[in-house]
Amino acid sequence: SSDRATGVKWPQKFTAMALSALRSVALRASARAAPRAAAPGLRPVAPVLQCQFRPYITVQKFDRDDVICKLDEYHATVMSANWADYLYLVYNVPFWEAELEKLTSIVQPYLHEPGVGEKFAEVQEMMDVLYQCEDVRDHLNELAELATRASGLMGTGYAAGEKVENMQDHAELSAVTYSKMLEKHPNFKPKIEQTVGHGLAILRAKHKFKFPSMHRYFF
């Protein structure tokens, strides 16, 4: 081979070396331009969906006597509490609910037995009554608070708040709910009186209305 401009002849080995160098440069350029496929192990993985609840799973086994003992203890703890103390309920109800979830799990093998099934049904009814009493008593407390604010500073009418226009409707509806609860849950009458009955008596001191046991609270 030779250079046509100068007429100088080049050895063939130099020509082969030059072509090899040009070929390697071209291969490197094409490798850089082509997109690289992601390695299988480095591909992004879809995020795992997080569980929205925490199931209670246990491998402990409880015999019949243990289950009855736990039910009795739970029933005594909740029944002996002051349901009219809202702050006490705020502190303790979450723990009672967690314990009830555990009891619901361990009592399943013995629900067919009359003694265990009846005791667990009583615990469930107790919690239902607790929630109802708590809701009605909270509503009565709010009505009593609004009635107090409507009377102004120390009952003088100074800086008085707005009155509840339908206070009579609220009071009558609460009294009807109170009577229905006593009729539906006669075994829990002391707790209903402790919460709803006493709440009605407090409200009656601020707004006059009638309910079945109003004279029991010296009104």
Side-chain angles (χ1 to χ4, degrees), residues 148-161:
T148 301
R149 294 182 180 181
S151 63
L153 180 62
M154 300 180 66
T156 60
Y158 176 75

Side-chain angles (χ1 to χ4, degrees), residues 75-135:
H75 183 272
T77 300
V78 179
M79 281 293 291
S80 61
N82 183 8
W83 291 7
D85 188 349
Y86 77 94
L87 187 59
Y88 185 84
L89 295 181
V90 168
Y91 288 155
N92 290 275
V93 166
F95 298 99
W96 293 346
E97 292 176 345
E99 186 64 23
L100 180 60
E101 184 179 356
K102 296 179 182 179
L103 289 175
T104 304
S105 176
I106 67 176
V107 81
Q108 296 302 319
Y110 308 101
L111 278 179
H112 64 282
E113 299 185 12
V116 181
E118 293 175 0
K119 190 66 178 179
F120 185 66
E122 185 179 356
V123 169
Q124 289 181 313
E125 182 184 4
M126 175 186 65
M127 296 304 294
D128 292 340
V129 176
L130 169 62
Y131 293 138
Q132 296 177 45
C133 291
E134 184 181 13
D135 292 341

